Amino acid sequence: PIPHDPVPPPPIPQIMVDSPSQEPGIDYWGNDLSPPFDETLDGCAAMCRFVDGCAYYTWDVCDGHRCWLKSAATERRADPC
């Protein structure tokens, strides 16, 4: 008998971290999905891709470089920093 090749495992999905357009000096007030957390800017963008309901994020440089995940981008405001 001819041995059969084992079925290969499915490919591992590749995670692409392509940050959306950034708006320096702008905050989208409200619609927070969770308390803020410390992260890098790229990490904040990546985290938004994996959290259910996250549509936008705000990277707050005024408050110790914190990431705020958002369900919507409403109440566009100038950041006071």
Side-chain angles (χ1 to χ4, degrees):
I2 300 173
H4 294 282
D5 288 335
V7 175
I12 298 171
Q14 297 297 310
I15 300 167
M16 303 302 289
V17 180
D18 51 342
S19 297
S21 298
Q22 296 178 12
E23 295 181 86
I26 299 298
D27 183 18
Y28 286 95
W29 188 256
N31 302 303
D32 300 326
L33 292 174
S34 62
F37 57 92
D38 297 327
E39 187 63 67
T40 64
L41 176 59
D42 288 337
C44 187
M47 183 70 70
C48 188
R49 293 179 150 272
F50 292 102
V51 172
D52 286 337
C54 186
Y56 298 90
Y57 63 89
T58 295
W59 176 247
D60 187 354
V61 297
C62 297
D63 190 22
H65 294 96
R66 292 184 183 228
C67 178
W68 294 82
L69 301 181
K70 310 280 186 171
S71 61
T74 58
E75 294 192 50
R76 187 177 187 269
R77 299 181 182 183
D79 197 338
C81 289

